[in-house]
Amino acid sequence: MPLTDKSRKRSIRTAVTLASALLPVLLGSVILYLQAERTLQQSARLTAEEALKQFDLMLDNTSQAARELLPLAGKSCTDVELALREQVTRRPFVRSTNLLWDNAIYCSSLFGNYHEKLTHTDFVDNRLLLIKGNPITPDTALLIYRLNVGEGGAMSTLDGYHLSNVLRMIGHHTLLILQVGPNWLSADGQFHEGAAQDFPVANSRLESSHYPFGVKAGFPAGETWRYMSSEYPPLFSLLIFFGAASGVIGHFLQKRTSSPTHEMKRALEAMEFVPYFQAVVHGDSKKLSGVEVLMRWNHPKEGLVRPDLFIPFAEHTGLIVPMTRSLMQQTAALLGPLSSSFQAPFHIGINITANHCQNFDLVQDCRAFLEAFAPGSIYLVLELTERELIEPTALTHQLFEQLHDLGVKIAIDDFGTGHSSLGYLRQFNVDFLKIDQSFVAMIGIDTLSSHILESIIELAAKLELALVAEGVETQAQSDYLSEHNVNFLQGYLYGRPIPGTEFINALSDH
Ligand code: G
Ligand code: G
Ligand code: MN
């Protein structure tokens, strides 16, 4: 393949292989990450629900004490002191009970007859208050439940120790806090003022429907990755396996798709094989007599590729046939519209190979080609190289007959380098001999080559075949060939092979 920059191709291929390996791993990781987030979200919610239920139960029990004591509010402390203590003993979470009158405690389970103005009056929903501690245990948070009727009231307090225990035990791996109005309690038993911040991962907040408090559950930053690394190693191994498999598949698929045949078929469909035109001039007047169509591969990455690099392969695979067809169609589309302005029949040379002579498709291709031109405005010349001669069979005999009937001319290309016999030249109805460039290059340099050249010229004259000299580069060669009556000249001296549009511009300039 004509691939000049192999290392770049290889690095692209490596990149594609890597991408096909990484893609499943990355996609899978994203899915696992989302799954882990979902799992943590559910876990946080369940934990919050569990804690809420537990706190509701504890408050049910505690509030019951206040409810039972409320009718005693206003009564003499000495008479009801025992009832207050009984509630404390009977109820597991109740630490103390109090009776109130006119927003002041007048009776307490701890001190009996006692007087203290209430310092906190900002109970949430008039019922619940979380405080940092009281004068007896200033560092243990307390949750106070209060009931009021008129001036009388009853309070029961719940020890923060029990609350933080619940937060710790239910929370386990989950971070959990209890929020009561503007204050909150963390699992370490610490009292905090202000609203608690949201947790970085899977934050979940629930409010009790019975009491004015809420709980918040969640996880510290980075928990999703920690969870994945502890729970998903088997899935990760599977992902890596899939990644490796997909990488291997990607690698082989690429190898397949970049096979030369595939690449050339792609190029054919993409119309990357384009015609270049090289002028052929009359030997005497040096006026333009026609062109030879030379194929070029306009490769998107490799640039312009010379035919010697891909034609042998195209011949080997038989792709040369559709490639030449495309070349003929493009040439017809370019030159056809100009044909009415051609004065003498314009020679258009197309190179064909033995592949073209295996069936009659070539006749159809030539007919379609000729139809694109004004009648009689061109000679279509098929150039057959002498390097590999076409075997004369019944089929080829018929084929060349039909081509002849169509008015198609035949040229033997690279003449002098092979060994075509007179019988061969006659059998294929040859019209032109194209003298190989190697003989032209030796004019005035090598006497033996000059002799061969002269014999070719004589032979052509005897057989009444027109002669074309190829590879004319110097004025001396041109003069020599004109003196020897060579009919047509082709070479850099008159013009290099140029793209279609350029050739048309040059044509219309003349
Ligand atoms: O165009 P360039 O100068 O590179 O030509 C190199 C060789 O490729 C020449 O031998 C020429 O005959 C051959 N070649 C160019 N175009 C075609 C084509 O369309 N078909 C075939 N079979 N050979 C071609
Ligand atoms: O089909 P054929 O093998 O005749 O193709 C002609 C070949 O000769 C093409 O490769 C074309 O580019 C090349 N060519 C045409 N004119 C000249 C020239 O003057 N000098 C040299 N060196 N090559 C030429
Ligand atoms: Mn040729």
Side-chain angles (χ1 to χ4, degrees):
M1 286 303 293
L3 303 171
T4 48
D5 199 350
K6 281 201 168 144
S7 70
R8 201 190 54 176
K9 265 227 117 159
R10 190 165 316 139
S11 65
I12 290 175
R13 212 182 287 173
T14 312
V16 174
T17 301
L18 272 180
S20 53
L22 283 179
L23 203 69
V25 176
L26 282 179
L27 263 175
S29 299
V30 169
I31 291 171
L32 285 185
Y33 186 89
L34 294 177
Q35 179 59 33
E37 260 190 344
R38 232 173 76 96
T39 309
L40 290 176
Q41 195 79 50
Q42 278 175 345
S43 159
R45 201 183 158 81
L46 276 178
T47 305
E49 277 172 10
E50 193 58 36
L52 202 75
K53 219 186 292 172
Q54 196 62 36
F55 289 138
D56 272 347
L57 282 175
M58 288 162 82
L59 272 170
D60 281 346
N61 189 268
T62 305
S63 63
Q64 190 63 28
R67 206 164 294 121
E68 284 178 16
L69 293 175
L70 186 61
L72 308 182
K75 295 206 171 142
S76 143
C77 186
T78 337
D79 295 343
V80 297
E81 197 175 341
L82 258 173
L84 262 63
R85 286 195 190 126
E86 193 213 339
Q87 289 293 342
V88 175
T89 335
R90 203 145 58 85
R91 303 202 177 267
F93 304 114
V94 175
R95 194 173 101 171
S96 65
T97 49
N98 304 284
L99 287 179
L100 309 169
W101 195 260
D102 192 15
N103 269 333
I105 297 174
Y106 76 90
C107 188
S108 126
S109 59
L110 200 55
F111 306 118
N113 230 329
Y114 170 82
H115 191 87
E116 188 195 318
K117 195 89 185 137
L118 271 189
T119 44
H120 304 279
T121 47
D122 44 358
F123 281 71
V124 186
D125 193 24
N126 259 326
R127 294 194 278 169
L128 209 56
L129 181 70
L130 182 69
I131 58 171
K132 191 175 184 337
N134 65 7
I136 302 159
T137 52
D139 293 324
T140 308
L142 283 175
L143 185 60
I144 308 172
Y145 187 86
R146 182 183 79 170
L147 282 177
N148 271 338
V149 169
E151 285 190 290
M155 292 198 316
S156 49
T157 60
L158 211 160
D159 198 314
Y161 173 77
H162 296 302
L163 299 171
S164 58
N165 252 353
V166 168
L167 292 176
R168 260 197 312 279
M169 286 165 58
I170 293 179
H172 197 44
H173 289 306
T174 317
L175 299 175
L176 197 59
I177 62 114
L178 167 67
Q179 179 93 45
V180 183
N183 307 323
W184 57 282
L185 186 73
S186 48
D188 57 6
Q190 287 295 312
F191 169 90
H192 306 265
E193 273 178 73
Q197 278 196 340
D198 284 354
F199 295 114
V201 174
N203 186 68
S204 186
R205 193 195 155 99
L206 287 180
E207 300 289 329
S208 164
S209 50
H210 303 113
Y211 303 97
F213 76 93
V215 294
K216 215 184 243 189
F219 295 93
E223 179 65 18
T224 314
W225 289 114
R226 261 195 296 284
Y227 180 83
M228 285 169 78
S229 63
S230 75
E231 299 295 320
Y232 291 167
L235 290 176
F236 272 121
S237 320
L238 207 65
L239 268 190
I240 289 177
F241 171 77
F242 278 133
S246 145
V248 169
I249 291 172
H251 178 75
F252 281 104
L253 276 183
Q254 280 187 87
K255 263 203 162 163
R256 214 187 57 177
T257 54
S258 62
S259 78
T261 319
H262 187 280
E263 173 65 2
M264 286 184 82
K265 282 189 179 151
R266 182 199 62 73
L268 181 61
E269 276 169 28
M271 300 267 278
E272 286 173 15
F273 299 109
V274 295
Y276 267 52
F277 299 98
Q278 187 179 30
V280 179
V281 301
H282 287 282
D284 43 14
S285 65
K286 308 292 185 299
K287 281 196 176 145
L288 189 69
S289 66
V291 281
E292 176 173 2
V293 180
L294 293 160
M295 192 183 294
R296 294 290 183 270
W297 185 350
N298 206 349
H299 197 281
K301 286 185 205 143
E302 310 286 335
L304 208 61
V305 183
R306 292 174 39 100
D308 10 346
L309 292 169
F310 63 88
I311 296 263
F313 187 80
E315 287 177 3
H316 177 71
T317 56
L319 269 173
I320 187 68
V321 175
M323 279 158 69
T324 303
R325 185 171 299 135
S326 160
L327 206 66
M328 287 172 82
Q329 286 165 352
Q330 293 179 63
T331 302
L334 279 165
L335 300 184
L338 307 174
S339 62
S340 53
S341 66
F342 294 157
Q343 281 132 20
F346 193 70
H347 296 220
I348 301 179
I350 303 278
N351 292 287
I352 62 160
T353 67
N355 289 278
H356 289 95
C357 304
Q358 290 163 352
N359 55 45
F360 293 96
D361 288 355
L362 184 61
V363 179
Q364 188 44 47
D365 292 342
C366 289
R367 186 175 291 127
F369 184 85
L370 290 169
E371 275 167 6
F373 293 86
S377 66
I378 62 157
Y379 281 139
L380 171 56
V381 184
L382 298 184
E383 300 188 8
L384 301 162
T385 177
E386 202 191 31
R387 290 176 210 277
E388 37 157 333
L389 292 175
I390 290 153
E391 256 184 77
T393 61
L395 188 138
T396 52
H397 185 74
Q398 244 186 303
L399 174 69
F400 281 84
E401 244 345 36
Q402 292 190 18
L403 289 172
H404 191 249
D405 291 347
L406 264 184
V408 172
K409 307 278 176 199
I410 304 296
I412 299 296
D413 209 353
D414 312 313
F415 191 76
T417 60
H419 21 253
S420 46
S421 62
L422 288 184
Y424 184 87
L425 298 183
R426 215 166 286 133
Q427 170 132 28
F428 290 107
N429 267 316
V430 171
D431 303 280
F432 300 91
L433 296 181
K434 291 191 81 171
I435 306 168
D436 191 69
Q437 348 186 325
S438 57
F439 301 110
V440 173
M442 288 301 153
I443 291 173
I445 298 173
D446 182 86
T447 37
L448 177 63
S449 296
S450 297
H451 283 312
I452 300 176
L453 187 58
E454 276 164 29
S455 336
I456 293 175
I457 294 169
E458 272 175 44
L459 175 76
K462 273 189 197 136
L463 297 177
E464 296 180 350
L465 297 177
L467 263 182
V468 186
E470 285 193 292
V472 182
E473 292 184 353
T474 67
Q475 194 56 49
Q477 292 166 351
S478 169
D479 292 345
Y480 177 98
L481 293 161
S482 301
E483 271 165 37
H484 286 77
N485 300 317
V486 171
N487 314 70
F488 303 101
L489 306 176
Q490 178 184 353
Y492 293 168
L493 186 63
Y494 313 107
R496 290 178 174 263
I498 50 173
T501 45
E502 223 174 282
F503 182 77
I504 286 174
N505 287 340
L507 258 192
S508 47
D509 284 352
H510 280 287

